[in-house]
Amino acid sequence: MTLTIGVDVGGTKVAAGVVDLAGEVVAQTRRDTPADDVAKTRDVIVEAVAELAAAHQVEAVGIGAAGWIDASRSTVLFAPNIAWRDEPLRDYVSEAVGLPVIVENDANAAAWAEFRFGAARHADDSMIMFTIGTGVGGAIVFGGELVRGAHGIAAELGHMLSVPEGHLCGCGRHGCLEQYASGNALVRFARAGARQEPRRAVVLLDLAGGDAEEISGPMVTAAAKEGDPVSREAFAQIGHWLGIALADMVQILDPQILVVGGGVVEAGDLLLGPTRQSYVDALAQRGRIAVADLAPAQMGNAAGVVGAGDLARRR
């Protein structure tokens, strides 16, 4: 059995697992991320890999990291939630554990897991994935390979323009999709609705102790499931913008399948229902011919580990 190790490095946790040929995680470990300390973060990754490698015969290591990864898949150019700047992560970990290592963007790693083993496993050519969490991530598979771009940082789908001169985004632009179709956008829409129409947000405001500024994403989901009108409208708004972005990508690349993942997708049809409707409406005449189906991600929290491990196998 050919085994690899996949590592998913986030701002709060480092999750690592031994991944087999079928995309199953046969052993795993987890540690907290000392995100403000570059050296300690590297060492935590090494510790997790060494622990698993000591108990399993593995051939390579894949690391999925939130940030911009260079084209050679060796250096973290920039990470928003970890103090990495031009960090030669591949070589450091490889030398420490004595195994080949590749470094990949975390959204790419998760998308690869969906393409190989999850929602898009029946596709043989192309997939576009949007990851809806605190922000909006993305990944593109075309010709059976991840599209990384000339400099390794392609598919920043959350930073496509949705609303000219719209809300300021963390990337410095105004009106990015991330400001209209993310978990943060969901909360912003819900808070605004609760302030403007408190009588239509009774359930939501009750969960927030009566203070609209205390509304959180899980509260919006819980209230929407109970039929709270303002909460449902917040989901409808982010679904509207996401559906338009999906249609734009279909017009450009005509993929076999579209996949939507990330924490917000756990809300199910509260998000996917309005997203599908917006997607269909935005296609207009294009919808008269075959277009990509829209599917929710299936790999869950294991996606980053599984995708990074499988990419290491294909290094």
Side-chain angles (χ1 to χ4, degrees):
M1 179 183 294
T2 303
L3 300 175
T4 57
I5 292 175
V7 185
D8 185 9
V9 184
T12 60
K13 67 173 176 60
V14 172
V18 177
V19 181
D20 68 14
L21 284 167
E24 297 292 331
V25 179
V26 300
Q28 55 190 319
T29 187
R30 176 173 171 161
R31 286 166 170 74
D32 293 335
T33 304
D36 58 349
D37 190 314
V38 170
K40 287 183 179 179
T41 300
R42 288 187 314 224
D43 291 340
V44 162
I45 295 169
V46 169
E47 289 171 10
V49 171
E51 175 189 329
L52 294 172
H56 300 271
Q57 188 172 354
V58 298
E59 66 173 68
V61 179
I63 301 172
W68 294 343
I69 314 300
D70 74 335
S72 67
R73 292 188 291 168
S74 63
T75 301
V76 183
L77 301 173
F78 173 83
N81 299 313
I82 299 175
W84 279 335
R85 303 294 184 269
D86 295 317
E87 176 65 28
L89 188 61
R90 180 190 68 185
D91 292 345
Y92 182 90
V93 176
S94 181
E95 290 173 9
V97 302
L99 289 165
V101 174
I102 62 105
V103 181
E104 185 59 80
N105 171 267
D106 62 338
N108 278 351
W112 186 253
E114 293 293 343
F115 183 70
R116 292 273 287 127
F117 308 109
R121 63 188 180 277
H122 301 302
D124 58 4
D125 175 71
S126 50
M127 175 198 78
I128 297 173
M129 181 169 170
F130 283 77
T131 305
I132 312 300
T134 303
V136 175
I140 299 170
V141 176
F142 216 78
E145 299 290 342
L146 280 166
V147 175
R148 296 184 176 89
H151 306 99
I153 53 176
E156 287 289 344
L157 304 184
H159 298 289
M160 297 190 299
L161 182 65
S162 289
V163 180
E165 304 304 319
H167 291 287
L168 176 65
C169 183
C171 74
R173 299 180 73 200
H174 286 264
C176 290
L177 176 66
E178 185 166 294
Q179 297 304 308
Y180 294 88
S182 63
N184 281 343
L186 176 74
V187 171
R188 190 181 72 246
F189 288 137
R191 287 176 178 174
R195 287 193 299 265
Q196 294 165 9
E197 299 182 274
R199 293 183 180 179
R200 301 182 67 245
V202 173
V203 175
L204 180 58
L205 285 169
D206 184 58
L207 291 173
D211 185 354
E213 296 309 309
E214 294 300 315
I215 290 171
S216 67
M219 290 177 190
V220 181
T221 300
K225 289 179 177 178
E226 292 187 33
D228 183 84
V230 163
S231 299
R232 285 180 169 266
E233 286 170 8
F235 274 106
Q237 288 185 78
I238 68 170
H240 168 76
W241 294 110
L242 178 58
I244 291 172
L246 291 168
D248 286 346
M249 295 307 298
V250 165
Q251 301 281 13
I252 297 168
L253 291 175
D254 187 25
Q256 286 176 294
I257 187 168
L258 299 163
V259 177
V260 179
V264 179
V265 177
E266 293 176 7
D269 278 345
L270 288 170
L271 172 63
L272 294 177
T275 299
R276 285 193 179 97
Q277 188 60 57
S278 174
Y279 169 58
V280 171
D281 290 347
L283 287 170
Q285 294 299 320
R286 179 64 179 265
R288 295 176 179 271
I289 59 177
V291 292
D293 288 331
L294 171 61
Q298 296 178 356
M299 297 297 291
N301 292 333
V305 167
V306 171
D310 195 63
L311 286 166
R313 184 177 293 111
R314 294 167 55 89
R315 65 192 184 283

